[in-house]
Every structure is written in C-alpha cells, then in structure tokens.
C-alpha cells in the first residue's frame, strides 16, 4: 500500500510543478524572443487614431457574440419570418411538421438573403476600412449604425415610429441617421409583429374555409365521431402543393421588405 501512495504523491507533485512553472517558463521564452504578452491598454497614435490592445479586442469580440442573438431577433427580418411560418404550420394542422429546427433554419437563410445587401454595404463601407486600418473604430461603428438605420427605418411603420418618438419626447427627425436606436428598435419590432400577424391572418383564411367545408359535410352525412381536422388535412396539403405554397409564401415574405 505504500508504493501506490508514494506514486500518487509523486504524480501530484509533478503535475503541480508543471502547472506552476509552465506559465513562467512560457513568459520567459516569449520575453527572450522579444514578444510581449498583450496587456489591457489603449494608446493614441500620432495621427490621432486610438489603438486597442489584443485583450480589449478579444473582449469586445466576445461581448458582441453574446448579443448576436438579440441583434438577429431585433434588427433583422427573422422575427417576421418565423412568426409567419409558425402560423402557417398551425393553419395547415400538421402539428410538428415541419419541425421547429427546420423552421428556424428556413428563417435564418431567408434572413441572410434579405439582409445580404445591407450586410454587404456595412462590410464594404465600415468593416473593411476598419480592418485595414483606414478608419477608426468610432467612425466605423457610426457608419455601420447609419446603414442599419436605413434598413430599419424603411421597414418600420411611420405610426409606430412616431408613437415611440412621442413617448421619448423627441421632435420629427430630419433624416434616418438622427433616429436614435432606443426609439427605432422597439418601433421596428412592433411593426414586425403587426405585419407578421397580418400576413398570418391572410394565410389562415383558405385553410379555415376548407375546415369549415369539411366539418359541414361530415355533419350533414351524420359522421359526428369523425374528426374534421383529420379529414381536412389531406385536402389542405393538396391545395398547398397545387398552388406551390412554399414558393408563394417565401416570395411574398421577401417582397414585403424594401431596401434603402
């Protein structure tokens, strides 16, 4: 029993020594080669540009990744698309077909297609100049914000935007860049919800008519025990396929958005 105990103590001591000594040795090696560890600092160049250390850049990147889902939900077309697709599935009565993962994937790809002109403009106007060092971070952020505001304003109902502007106590805005994001974002998401439910209502009507016709037919035939939803499901699927429903729905959703 002594040999295993001595072996465990020896292995533990070796692991502890490596854990403590490895960072110090790595730092010494980096210093010998003239490479310093990145520090958290901000420096100003002679041209008046602010340079951030690698640690701060990584911190900003990780922070932006954490807020990425909120940006996708609140600043893109994702909300309208996923609501319309969910209402369409409920109107067809197909329960979990297509599954939630498929609907989310469709909504993401359609969002990428709709937002691609805006993202391309942000990439060419703000992101690339910043990465090449030709534009400071503050100016690049302002340029990207102005491009995003153009998309949001052109796809927001004027009544919703005016309502939030009145609640904020702001006067009429002269151009899109003057609209503050705390006013624009809730106005945009409210407008998206209203438009999504309007489109969902129009999609629901033909399937509701089929359900009513099937229910009336079954009642007239005396088939009270037979579920109208079960009988109407094949007819709704047939109608949706014959009119090329997916292409019409996707095309209509994409057409509801306008560029700047």
């Amino acid at each position: 029993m002594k040999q295993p105990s001595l072996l465990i103590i020896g292995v533990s001591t070796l692991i502890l020594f490596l854990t403590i000594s490895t960072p110090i040795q790595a730092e010494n090696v980096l210093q010998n080669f003239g490479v310093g560890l990145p520090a958290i600092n901000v420096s100003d160049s002679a041209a008046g540009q602010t340079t951030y250390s690698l640690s701060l850049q990584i911190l900003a990147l990780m922070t932006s990744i954490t807020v990425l889902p909120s940006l996708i939900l609140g600043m893109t077309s994702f909300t309208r698309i996923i609501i319309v697709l969910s209402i369409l599935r409920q109107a067809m009565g197909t329960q979990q077909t297509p599954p939630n993962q498929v609907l989310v994937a469709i909504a993401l790809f359609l969002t990428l297609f709709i937002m691609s002109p805006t993202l391309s403009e942000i990439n060419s106007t703000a992101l690339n100049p910043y990465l090449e060092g030709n534009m400071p971070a503050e100016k690049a952020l302002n340029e990207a914000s102005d491009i995003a505001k153009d998309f949001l304003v052109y796809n927001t109902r004027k009544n919703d935007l005016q309502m939030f502007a009145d609640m904020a106590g702001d006067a009429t805005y002269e151009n899109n860049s003057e609209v503050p994001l705390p006013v624009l974002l809730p106005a945009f998401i409210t407008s998206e919800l209203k438009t999504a439910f309007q489109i969902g209502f129009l999609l629901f009507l033909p399937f509701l008519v089929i359900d009513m016709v099937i229910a009336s037919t079954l009642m007239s035939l005396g088939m009270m025990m037979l579920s109208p939803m079960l009988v109407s499901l094949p007819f709704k699927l047939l109608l949706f396929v014959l009119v090329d429903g997916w292409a019409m729905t996707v095309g209509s959703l994409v057409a509801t958005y306008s560029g700047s």
Side-chain angles (χ1 to χ4, degrees), residues 87-107:
I87 294 177
L88 175 62
R89 183 179 64 181
Q90 185 176 1
M92 294 177 62
T94 53
Q95 302 298 327
Q96 295 298 321
T97 304
N100 293 329
Q101 294 84 350
V102 176
L103 293 184
V104 172
I106 295 174

Side-chain angles (χ1 to χ4, degrees), residues 1-258:
M1 297 297 292
K2 292 183 180 180
Q3 292 180 353
S5 300
L6 293 176
L7 180 61
I8 293 175
I9 294 174
V11 172
S12 302
T13 304
L14 180 61
I15 294 175
L16 180 61
F17 174 76
L18 292 175
T19 303
I20 297 175
S21 62
T22 300
I24 300 175
Q25 292 177 356
E27 184 177 0
N28 293 332
V29 171
L30 290 174
Q31 291 179 354
N32 292 332
F33 282 93
V35 179
L37 293 176
I40 301 178
N41 53 39
V42 179
S43 60
D44 295 330
S45 62
Q49 297 181 355
T50 303
T51 303
Y52 298 92
S53 63
L54 180 61
S55 300
L56 286 178
Q57 294 179 8
I58 294 176
L59 179 62
L61 177 62
M62 298 303 295
T63 304
S64 62
I65 291 176
T66 56
V67 300
L68 185 60
S70 300
L71 295 179
I72 294 177
L73 291 175
M75 298 183 65
T76 64
S77 58
F78 180 84
T79 301
R80 182 189 302 187
I81 296 173
I82 194 65
I83 290 177
V84 170
L85 294 180
S86 300
I87 294 177
L88 175 62
R89 183 179 64 181
Q90 185 176 1
M92 294 177 62
T94 53
Q95 302 298 327
Q96 295 298 321
T97 304
N100 293 329
Q101 294 84 350
V102 176
L103 293 184
V104 172
I106 295 174
L108 284 175
F109 288 132
L110 288 179
T111 301
L112 181 61
F113 177 80
I114 295 172
M115 299 298 299
S116 58
T118 303
L119 296 178
S120 299
E121 188 176 357
I122 291 176
N123 182 56
S124 60
T125 306
L127 183 58
N128 279 340
Y130 169 70
L131 295 178
E132 294 173 357
N134 299 326
M135 182 180 296
E138 292 81 2
K139 186 177 180 181
L141 184 60
N142 291 332
E143 291 288 340
S145 178
D146 291 340
I147 296 173
K149 284 180 181 179
D150 289 338
F151 173 82
L152 296 176
V153 170
Y154 278 99
N155 293 282
T156 302
R157 298 174 183 269
K158 294 182 179 180
N159 295 333
D160 296 329
L161 184 59
Q162 187 63 42
M163 178 185 66
F164 282 95
D166 293 339
M167 288 190 293
D170 295 341
T172 304
Y173 305 109
E174 297 295 333
N175 49 55
N176 297 342
S177 60
E178 293 184 359
V179 183
L181 288 178
V183 173
L184 181 56
L185 291 181
F188 175 75
I189 198 67
T190 303
S191 178
E192 287 291 283
L193 291 174
K194 184 177 181 179
T195 305
F197 278 95
Q198 288 179 346
I199 298 175
F201 171 76
L202 295 177
L203 289 175
F204 216 107
L205 283 180
F207 299 108
L208 180 60
V209 171
I210 293 177
D211 287 334
M212 294 177 62
V213 171
I214 295 297
S216 301
T217 304
L218 292 178
M219 186 175 295
S220 62
L221 294 176
M223 300 179 181
M224 302 297 182
M225 303 301 295
L226 188 59
S227 174
M229 296 293 296
L230 182 63
V231 178
S232 63
L233 179 59
F235 293 98
K236 289 190 287 188
L237 292 178
L238 179 62
L239 173 65
F240 195 70
V241 171
L242 289 178
V243 300
D244 199 5
W246 285 114
M248 292 180 60
T249 304
V250 171
S252 300
L253 282 172
V254 174
T256 55
Y257 285 94
S258 60

